[in-house]
Amino acid sequence: MEHIILIRIGEIFLKGHNRNFFTSLLKNNICEALKDIKCKVVSTQNRMFCEGYNQDEEEEIISRLTTVFGIYNISPAVKLATNLEKIAELCCRLFPKEGVFRVTVNRADKKIPLSSMDIARNIGAEMLKDSSYRTVNLYKYDFEVNVDIRENGYSYIFYRKIACEGGLPVGCGGNGMLLLSGGIDSPVAAFLMAKRGVKIKAVHFHSFPYTSEMAKEKVIKLAKIVSCYCGPIELSVVPFTEIQYAIKENCPIEYMITIMRRFMMRIAEKLAYEKNCGAIVTGESLGQVASQTMESIMVTNSVVSLPVFRPLIGFDKSEIIEISRKIDAFETSILPYEDCCTVFLPKNPVIKPKLNYALELEVPLDIEKLVDDAIAGTETVICDFRE
Ligand code: ATP
Ligand code: MG
């Protein structure tokens, strides 16, 4: 007998001729998530198995698998050469000693003379004999004992079904360049886009010496936290202070954020092209702050031609926080370090900026040089939670 983990994958993307592409990508992502743990991942027609691991690493493997997009649920199971007595004995020994249960048998191996119903009944009877705290109810139960008797002479027994994130395997939807701040929203945006199969690369703007080394470290930490779900993230840390000086000298303070954000988008787009990304991703949510009104979004969006994905656009802050907590980013996101947007924050930023006026304000700025100089000063960090 051997402990293994059954991995069930979504049905939707398994249809059609892309099937092999999706399954091999998912298998790669699973292997990548488990690369520092000794185990083997095997894929069959419509599911995968993780096997050959040390029993004491099972919980860690389970917790890693729940973060791999494209997996719907998993079951830690026991695999044994098919033997009905042995199966019943293991069900008695390994599964909860109390509670309401049912037994469901799937018998693919038709060489076995008993029907699946008969086998289930026998196992149930043994389990009742084994503990008087167990009862059977086929319709309302605390746990379901599953016995899967395969054609290849092996059976799998399990009772836990652990829900995973679903979604699509990271990488199947292309690369996205995320604007990653140190706040609550952008790490959640990374999570949601990765869930739809987008491989995340990120850019962070920092305003040294107005923003500290600690603020930068916090962003790296956030990228590492979301890398559990997204895979390792290549983060470009771009110096933004010179651009902010130039804007401050030439623009009225209430347009500061608008023009700053136009520069962020230009730089993000340039990096996106360099790094083979087909879209830009931000953590904006409509109406949350002055720079997130329709008019502001139009004015900042108009400097780029790549699509800009804003997965949080219709989310309330409380909904965003819920996801942020779930992915363990919240406690880091709320650490009180300044962001470059807060350093030069005007008291009354314009809520409905005018595009023509923004264009006029930018005339004295040497946009190309400012953008290129900032990009030239980029520091690249690979953020991986295992390091
Ligand atoms: P967040 O919680 O993600 O910081 P926010 O509510 O603070 O968002 P803003 O500061 O207006 O809102 O930022 C909106 C979006 O702009 C962020 O979600 C992020 O995508 C991007 N952004 C803001 N500041 C930075 C920065 N310093 N570096 C990179 N991207 C940034
Ligand atoms: Mg912010």
Side-chain angles (χ1 to χ4, degrees):
M1 124 185 168
E2 186 194 353
H3 287 270
I4 59 124
I5 297 170
L6 251 165
I7 302 169
R8 295 184 196 82
I9 50 194
E11 295 288 316
I12 317 152
F13 62 80
L14 289 181
K15 299 200 167 86
H17 32 257
N18 281 335
R19 185 193 177 105
N20 282 344
F21 166 69
F22 280 118
T23 45
S24 66
L25 182 59
L26 179 57
K27 189 178 166 190
N28 275 347
N29 292 352
I30 293 173
C31 292
E32 185 64 28
L34 300 176
K35 75 175 173 200
D36 53 336
I37 299 177
K38 185 184 144 300
C39 63
K40 203 168 130 208
V41 180
V42 182
S43 85
T44 66
Q45 268 283 309
N46 47 13
R47 51 189 184 175
M48 295 186 191
F49 299 93
C50 177
E51 49 186 50
Y53 52 82
N54 282 332
Q55 182 58 21
D56 54 1
E57 292 198 292
E58 189 171 78
E59 285 309 314
E60 178 61 22
I61 295 175
I62 289 173
S63 121
R64 300 261 184 108
L65 290 174
T66 59
T67 65
V68 177
F69 292 124
I71 300 179
Y72 276 69
N73 59 48
I74 54 178
S75 294
V78 165
K79 175 183 177 185
L80 70 161
T82 299
N83 171 334
L84 295 183
E85 269 172 37
K86 183 91 184 138
I87 289 173
E89 182 206 315
L90 286 172
C91 290
C92 292
R93 183 148 62 84
L94 299 176
F95 298 157
K97 289 282 181 193
E98 59 177 83
V100 187
F101 72 100
R102 67 163 285 161
V103 181
T104 304
V105 173
N106 173 23
R107 183 188 55 123
D109 185 352
K110 302 297 176 203
K111 291 197 296 291
I112 296 199
L114 298 179
S115 73
S116 43
M117 287 288 267
D118 289 336
I119 300 170
R121 220 174 280 128
N122 293 344
I123 294 172
E126 290 299 319
M127 288 179 70
L128 289 174
K129 247 193 275 168
D130 176 68
S131 165
S132 52
Y133 299 106
R134 289 184 182 131
T135 50
V136 170
N137 187 326
L138 298 189
Y139 306 103
K140 224 172 146 246
Y141 44 85
D142 306 323
F143 65 98
E144 180 180 20
V145 170
N146 287 275
V147 177
D148 198 0
I149 303 172
R150 312 299 304 169
E151 274 168 316
N152 62 6
Y154 285 96
S155 295
Y156 298 91
I157 58 173
F158 58 90
Y159 78 98
R160 287 162 74 195
K161 215 176 234 184
I162 301 160
C164 299
E165 289 294 335
L168 301 173
V170 169
C172 75
N175 300 320
M177 181 58 69
L178 167 76
L179 280 84
L180 180 63
S181 70
I184 297 168
D185 304 334
S186 38
V188 174
F191 169 83
L192 290 174
M193 291 321 303
K195 184 167 181 177
R196 296 310 301 164
V198 175
K199 171 93 188 136
I200 297 293
K201 304 190 178 189
V203 52
H204 174 70
F205 300 97
H206 77 128
S207 314
F208 192 75
Y210 301 98
T211 59
S212 62
E213 194 60 25
M214 301 280 273
K216 189 175 97 185
E217 288 305 319
K218 171 184 169 183
V219 173
I220 292 173
K221 186 162 177 216
L222 282 171
K224 284 186 179 174
I225 291 170
V226 289
S227 79
C228 292
Y229 295 92
C230 308
I233 294 178
E234 180 186 340
L235 170 69
S236 304
V237 182
V238 176
F240 206 55
T241 321
E242 290 306 319
I243 291 178
Q244 287 177 303
Y245 284 152
I247 301 172
K248 201 159 178 268
E249 255 165 50
N250 289 282
C251 305
I253 187 78
E254 69 274 15
Y255 264 69
M256 186 80 203
I257 299 259
T258 309
I259 308 291
M260 257 169 59
R261 297 195 62 78
R262 283 165 61 85
F263 272 93
M264 286 185 178
M265 294 300 259
R266 288 186 182 105
I267 293 171
E269 181 170 64
K270 208 152 181 187
L271 288 173
Y273 279 123
E274 254 175 43
K275 296 176 192 295
N276 196 24
C277 298
I280 294 169
V281 179
T282 79
E284 289 162 302
S285 155
L286 193 65
Q288 201 186 78
V289 289
S291 63
Q292 297 176 21
T293 61
M294 252 185 223
E295 292 81 357
S296 290
I297 290 174
M298 189 276 280
V299 174
T300 51
N301 211 124
S302 68
V303 293
V304 292
S305 54
L306 279 179
V308 180
F309 294 158
R310 299 178 175 86
L312 304 179
I313 200 72
F315 280 50
D316 285 353
K317 196 74 186 188
S318 59
E319 293 167 319
I320 300 171
I321 288 174
E322 199 177 307
I323 302 177
S324 171
R325 284 192 197 280
K326 183 178 86 171
I327 64 175
D328 262 341
F330 187 71
E331 297 303 328
T332 305
S333 285
I334 58 172
L335 292 175
Y337 300 122
E338 58 303 308
D339 181 56
C340 70
C341 289
T342 49
V343 173
F344 292 91
L345 187 72
K347 260 213 192 83
N348 296 307
V350 57
I351 291 169
K352 296 183 174 187
K354 301 273 178 293
L355 179 57
N356 282 341
Y357 187 45
L359 289 169
E360 232 175 80
L361 293 175
E362 284 176 352
V363 170
L365 301 175
D366 188 345
I367 294 173
E368 212 178 297
K369 183 170 185 329
L370 286 167
V371 167
D372 288 346
D373 286 355
I375 289 178
T378 298
E379 179 196 347
T380 307
V381 189
I382 304 294
C383 304
D384 187 347
F385 73 99
R386 277 171 298 229
E387 282 153 19

